[in-house]
Amino acid sequence: MQPTPHVCKTFEHTYHECVHLAMYVAAKAREVGHHPDIDIRWQRIRFGITTHDAGHRITDLDFAMARHIDAIAAGHGAKPVPAGDA
């Protein structure tokens, strides 16, 4: 089975700020109708974005949601984690 293509964003912050970040991203996801997978670990939060109803392909919706996530994370002081360190 091949992995599902997705846009992946990982950020670093305190555990509780990661939880808050998840809430803000979830609110935006509800607003725009596009929901990322969210994984919270100790001082890290990872968002996986793919368009499920397009056959798990990456679409413009995924890149738009990634931009929303970037803006929300920056507003909360979360630091992006480079892909190799995620």
Side-chain angles (χ1 to χ4, degrees), residues 26-67:
K28 178 52 92 173
R30 176 184 278 178
E31 178 185 319
V32 301
H34 196 55
H35 301 84
D37 294 327
I38 301 173
D39 182 32
I40 300 172
R41 303 294 171 121
W42 182 248
Q43 297 187 341
R44 292 217 174 169
I45 185 167
R46 179 185 172 277
F47 299 94
I49 315 160
T50 189
T51 303
H52 301 283
D53 55 355
H56 295 281
R57 292 187 349 226
I58 297 173
T59 68
D60 290 340
L61 290 172
D62 304 309
F63 293 111
M65 190 66 213
R67 287 189 295 275

Side-chain angles (χ1 to χ4, degrees), residues 8-13 43-45 78-86:
C8 182
K9 297 280 189 169
T10 302
F11 298 91
E12 187 174 58
H13 212 319
Q43 297 187 341
R44 292 217 174 169
I45 185 167
K79 296 178 188 164
V81 175
D85 296 337

Side-chain angles (χ1 to χ4, degrees), residues 64-82:
M65 190 66 213
R67 287 189 295 275
H68 289 303
I69 291 169
D70 284 342
I72 293 167
H76 285 85
K79 296 178 188 164
V81 175

